[in-house]
Amino acid sequence: MINVARLCQYIVEQDLLGLVCLPFNVVDSTPRQDVLPTLIGFFKTYKQMSSSEQATLPKFYTATRNTNFVEKAKICPSQAEVLKLQVTPVGETRLPTNALELKVALKCIFLALQGCHALQWAINDIRWPNIVFVADIHGGKWWLIDCEHAQKFDSVFPRIRTYAVNPGHVCNASSDLALVAALFVEVQEIVQGSDDLIQLQSVLQSSRQRSKTSAAKLLQLPWLKALDTPPSSSGMLQENAGYAVVCHSQL
């Protein structure tokens, strides 16, 4: 108990608490889906999803269950022809506030893409609203969420609103990196204060350079390698009640 109390004191004193303001146990309903936030994860019911999409999404979550910084999901019982998932983690949707946060976010994103791309999966919908910050005693990590548009490589890019990928393009590593390049638009003030970020933005914005690189190669950039980003928030993935959760092994 003494160690737990000291840990709680450290978290409070170091301002490591991440405030998550969510209307827990209140359903947020849209024409496409119902979302129920709870303390143990989000319950999502997809009301407008084709049979092929319903078949693809569970395959994605199964394939990426051990991939760092990609949300985890469990299929829940539901009515016929309706897909219901319980997903984790619960975090805060916001923009990075400084260069260090942005660099950590990018490293987490590249780690997620490295794992997905190795399995021949493209995320296809990488936007700041689909990236959550999860606080921990190491300063926090960033996770890709809302992966409902994920597709296997060489599939036709889904019909979603984005200026980063042309309609009719096929899904691949380059198309995901183009979406990462689009993330820089909303954090330009931070980017312009860092030579490292400016150079990375230049690489990602060039279709020719994107085709020659990958998330795995970008992770070898010295300033990204120097960042201390333990896998999955210094935890490990364990099966609990049929879905993957993050267990903070150092607490």
Side-chain angles (χ1 to χ4, degrees), residues 102-115:
L102 179 54
K103 290 178 178 180
V104 171
L106 289 169
K107 183 165 187 178
C108 291
I109 293 167
F110 289 144
L111 284 167
L113 293 182
Q114 175 183 239

Side-chain angles (χ1 to χ4, degrees), residues 39-225:
L39 291 174
I40 62 172
F42 287 85
F43 290 86
K44 293 185 177 181
T45 302
Y46 295 95
K47 299 179 292 186
Q48 294 183 5
M49 181 175 277
S50 68
S51 57
S52 62
E53 289 176 319
Q54 288 195 35
T56 298
L57 191 54
K59 290 179 181 178
F60 167 78
Y61 284 120
T62 298
T64 61
R65 62 187 180 277
N66 294 321
T67 301
N68 292 323
F69 307 117
V70 177
E71 72 176 352
K72 310 306 171 189
K74 171 194 172 184
I75 300 177
C76 301
S78 63
Q79 299 175 358
E81 299 182 359
V82 175
L83 178 64
K84 184 176 182 180
L85 299 176
Q86 180 181 356
V87 296
T88 58
V90 177
E92 177 186 6
T93 303
R94 66 171 175 83
L95 296 176
T97 59
N98 54 56
L100 178 59
E101 278 200 343
L102 179 54
K103 290 178 178 180
V104 171
L106 289 169
K107 183 165 187 178
C108 291
I109 293 167
F110 289 144
L111 284 167
L113 293 182
Q114 175 183 239
C116 291
H117 294 170
L119 298 167
Q120 300 288 294
W121 282 95
I123 299 295
N124 297 326
D125 195 14
I126 303 171
R127 300 175 291 118
W128 287 117
N130 291 345
I131 301 170
V132 296
F133 174 76
V134 180
D136 60 31
I137 61 173
H138 301 281
K141 303 297 179 287
W142 303 74
W143 289 67
L144 296 181
I145 64 168
D146 291 347
C147 302
E148 62 193 75
H149 296 294
Q151 296 282 345
K152 292 290 286 185
F153 277 10
D154 298 326
S155 302
V156 177
F157 194 84
R159 294 181 179 179
I160 56 178
R161 292 182 179 180
T162 176
Y163 62 86
V165 180
N166 294 326
H169 196 284
V170 296
C171 308
N172 53 33
S174 181
S175 61
D176 270 352
L177 291 179
L179 295 170
V180 176
L183 296 177
F184 283 68
V185 174
E186 295 180 71
V187 288
Q188 269 303 293
E189 186 174 343
I190 296 175
V191 172
Q192 293 305 314
S194 168
D195 290 340
D196 293 332
L197 293 171
I198 291 173
Q199 292 174 7
L200 176 58
Q201 178 180 235
S202 177
V203 170
L204 294 175
Q205 288 181 337
S206 167
S207 59
R208 182 179 180 181
Q209 293 190 65
R210 280 200 312 272
S211 66
K212 296 180 179 180
T213 191
S214 66
K217 290 180 180 179
L218 292 171
L219 285 167
Q220 298 306 308
L221 291 171
W223 56 272
L224 278 178
K225 290 182 67 175

